Amino acid sequence: MPGTERGGRLLILGGTGEARELAAGAVDDGMDVVSSLAGRVQRPRLPVGEVRIGGFGGVDGLADYVRAERISCVVDATHPFAATMTRHAVAACAASSTPLLRLRRPPWSPSAGDDWFRLPDMAAAADYVATRRGRVFLTTGRQDVGVFAGVTDAWFLIRVVDPPSALLPPNAEILSARGPYRHDDEAALMTAHRITTLVTKNSGGALTRAKLDAARELGIEVVMVERPVEPAGLVAVDDAASALAWVRTVIRR
């Protein structure tokens, strides 16, 4: 039954490794956990506990779900670039008077020897790549591929989990793969394809960090798209252990 006294009812807006780690810890704690996935990946890695897949229908739909399911608290553990979901979570939790925590992994920072060119969004990255030409390793996910469709003077190796549905750049090869990725494999891949520019989002985390280390080792420039700005005033932590501690405090209170 939703909202049992034994452990409370936690809604995790997930899809990330941190979300799965939090779900496992909360279930071990005896909590009633629901993890919500957007459904954008065909074969997602599923967390333990109850899972729902698909959108809520905007802010009102999420607020209604929280009320109907008697959710004790919400942890937004979505991807750092899932800006719309984060805004919806803030508004829905405010409307339903539900405690909200943002679980976001720390961003990557350049190390000595890195050649990073930081840009605010994907459109700026596409404009920059168009001026550089060369051979591009595009690792921003399938939803952003279409932004680069008009870049005609560069060759792209596009790595995605699921095939992109958007229009592709005219000179492109699709590589279907899922992390984690090993440093040696990343270096070999970029060497074999004679990559001159790596384009990525500042997602953070260890799962896909190896490409940055390999790029530094090979002297490849990195176009780093920075994270979108999140709503002000969010209570946030950067690891699952801290999120679980917060959930315990809220539910026990």
Side-chain angles (χ1 to χ4, degrees):
M1 180 178 180
T4 60
E5 289 183 3
R6 176 171 175 260
R9 189 156 169 82
L10 166 65
L11 173 62
I12 302 174
L13 306 176
T16 60
E18 292 82 5
R20 292 189 293 274
E21 184 180 351
L22 173 60
V27 168
D28 285 346
D29 248 23
M31 298 180 198
D32 184 2
V33 179
V34 184
S35 294
S36 177
L37 310 182
R40 292 174 179 170
V41 177
Q42 293 177 4
R43 295 179 300 279
R45 293 190 178 101
L46 297 179
V48 298
E50 182 182 342
V51 177
R52 69 174 302 280
I53 296 179
F56 292 94
V59 173
D60 291 342
L62 177 54
D64 289 343
Y65 178 89
V66 167
R67 295 188 191 99
E69 294 296 318
R70 287 188 283 172
I71 299 297
S72 306
C73 57
V74 177
V75 175
D76 173 13
T78 55
H79 192 276
F81 281 77
T84 299
M85 189 67 249
T86 295
R87 290 195 299 271
H88 286 185
V90 170
C93 286
S96 60
S97 299
T98 305
L100 170 67
L101 179 73
R102 177 68 168 121
L103 169 54
R104 55 170 180 247
R105 68 185 74 127
W108 291 315
S109 298
S111 302
D114 279 325
D115 181 16
W116 286 16
F117 195 82
R118 299 180 189 235
L119 290 169
D121 54 43
M122 212 58 62
D127 290 342
Y128 178 78
V129 167
T131 67
R132 301 290 285 174
R133 302 180 180 182
R135 298 177 66 83
V136 180
F137 187 20
L138 184 61
T139 65
T140 57
R142 70 187 183 97
Q143 290 187 303
D144 298 305
V145 169
V147 180
F148 296 84
V151 181
T152 59
D153 292 333
W155 180 88
F156 289 85
L157 176 65
I158 303 174
R159 184 164 67 192
V160 289
V161 175
D162 296 321
S165 56
L167 190 65
L168 301 178
N171 305 305
E173 176 182 330
I174 298 296
L175 173 63
S176 295
R178 188 196 295 265
Y181 304 104
R182 296 175 58 251
H183 173 274
D184 291 349
D185 294 336
E186 296 288 71
L189 180 68
M190 286 189 265
T191 299
H193 288 87
R194 307 191 310 281
I195 298 300
T196 58
T197 302
L198 166 66
V199 180
T200 188
K201 297 173 176 177
N202 197 340
S203 302
L207 197 66
T208 59
R209 169 81 207 195
K211 62 189 174 187
L212 300 176
D213 298 331
R216 179 176 62 250
E217 178 182 284
L218 297 171
I220 293 171
E221 74 168 345
V222 175
V223 175
M224 184 64 70
V225 179
E226 298 295 356
R227 297 178 176 187
V229 177
E230 294 186 345
L234 268 175
V235 178
V237 296
D238 60 14
D239 61 76
S242 299
L244 182 57
W246 178 88
V247 172
R248 287 171 179 155
T249 300
V250 170
I251 287 179
R252 286 170 183 165
R253 186 175 60 207

